[in-house]
Amino acid sequence: MGESSNRRIRPTRRDLVSAVVLGAVVAPLTYAGSVRQKQEGEVPLVHSEDLGLELVGWSRTMPPTPSFPARIDRYAAYDGGTRCATTAKPGVVDVKNLILRTYGDRPWSIGHPCTGGVSEHAEGRALDVAFNAYSRSSRKAANDFFWWLLRPDSHGNRHAMARRLGIMYAIWNRKIWRAYRPDEGWLPYSGTPNPHTNHFHLSFSWAGALRRTTWWTLR
Ligand SMILES: [Zn+2]
């Protein structure tokens, strides 16, 4: 199955983001296969990036992470989708594969049809992955991913993996984190009718979507 030919598991339903931020459009999830591969980490909860997320215990399941030099990307600026180019972009596909390898096979979606409005999904540079906020284990898995994404690296770079991957904003379990306002941390998100309790959403900068950030260029 091609990366751009998502199989829909529910009818398309567009949910406008109604938080205090610029609008984004989310849509349903699709299935894809993968191999389970976990990397356990024993790491303390000592930094502010944890704020707003429920973190259980000390054991984190994190994606395999290359070691990087100190040089790191600027935070992604807000650059909302305006065009129709639904083919899944390679950086987004890489991150989808990384998440499924780490946390197990599950529904996901990248490119969505352009009918009904534009969004990063319509440009193939947004990713939805199914996690259930009402399941303790699924919620922990998603929280572990965001802990990995936003923790400082060994050089002291804040939100290191989010910057290296070119994450523009993330929405999960009634909260939103925005790379273009990083000091605000996770803020309440009241997306109606979808508060992202059955999946999380990642929007990518064009640089990240096209593998031009340091996750790809410095490894
Ligand atoms: Zn989405």
Side-chain angles (χ1 to χ4, degrees):
M1 185 178 77
E3 294 292 359
S4 62
S5 58
N6 299 332
R7 275 195 289 138
R8 307 253 157 215
I9 59 172
R10 293 189 311 188
T12 296
R13 185 185 66 185
R14 295 193 173 272
D15 305 308
L16 283 178
V17 171
S18 62
V20 293
V21 297
L22 296 161
V25 178
V26 298
L29 303 166
T30 58
Y31 279 101
S34 180
V35 177
R36 179 178 294 266
Q37 180 183 64
K38 286 192 175 180
Q39 180 185 60
E40 297 291 339
E42 296 289 336
V43 284
L45 314 178
V46 293
H47 63 82
S48 62
E49 275 54 81
D50 299 336
L51 290 175
L53 288 178
E54 177 198 1
L55 290 164
V56 180
W58 285 60
S59 175
R60 303 272 166 267
T61 302
M62 296 183 291
T65 310
S67 59
F68 289 99
R71 191 179 129 216
I72 194 166
D73 312 80
R74 291 199 177 103
Y75 287 94
Y78 184 80
D79 179 17
T82 57
R83 295 187 283 154
C84 183
T86 60
T87 303
K89 300 305 178 286
V92 184
V93 173
D94 284 354
V95 174
K96 180 268 293 178
N97 290 337
L98 186 73
I99 291 169
L100 267 58
R101 281 200 305 271
T102 304
Y103 301 104
D105 190 20
R106 58 192 63 241
W108 58 273
S109 179
I110 299 178
H112 296 171
C114 304
T115 53
V118 292
S119 73
E120 291 88 69
H121 278 298
E123 294 184 343
R125 59 182 177 103
L127 170 64
D128 292 341
V129 187
F131 287 88
N132 179 3
Y134 298 105
S135 153
R136 180 183 171 89
S137 61
S138 187
R139 184 174 66 244
K140 180 185 186 304
N143 289 347
D144 283 359
F145 171 75
F146 283 112
W147 186 89
W148 171 83
L149 190 72
L150 298 176
R151 67 177 175 159
D153 68 9
S154 61
H155 307 289
N157 292 312
R158 298 179 64 221
H159 308 119
M161 290 306 142
R163 294 161 66 182
R164 294 198 189 280
L165 291 169
I167 301 300
M168 188 166 79
Y169 63 86
I171 307 172
W172 160 239
N173 193 14
R174 306 178 192 278
K175 294 187 172 67
I176 182 167
W177 181 87
R178 299 169 295 181
Y180 42 96
R181 305 187 78 164
D183 291 334
E184 296 183 2
W186 287 95
L187 295 180
Y189 171 83
S190 57
T192 304
N194 188 337
H196 289 60
T197 51
N198 65 351
H199 72 281
F200 67 61
H201 169 103
L202 300 173
S203 278
F204 292 72
S205 67
W206 273 109
L210 297 178
R211 292 179 172 155
R212 292 172 184 163
T213 51
T214 58
W215 175 266
W216 291 275
T217 61
L218 284 186
R219 58 193 303 177

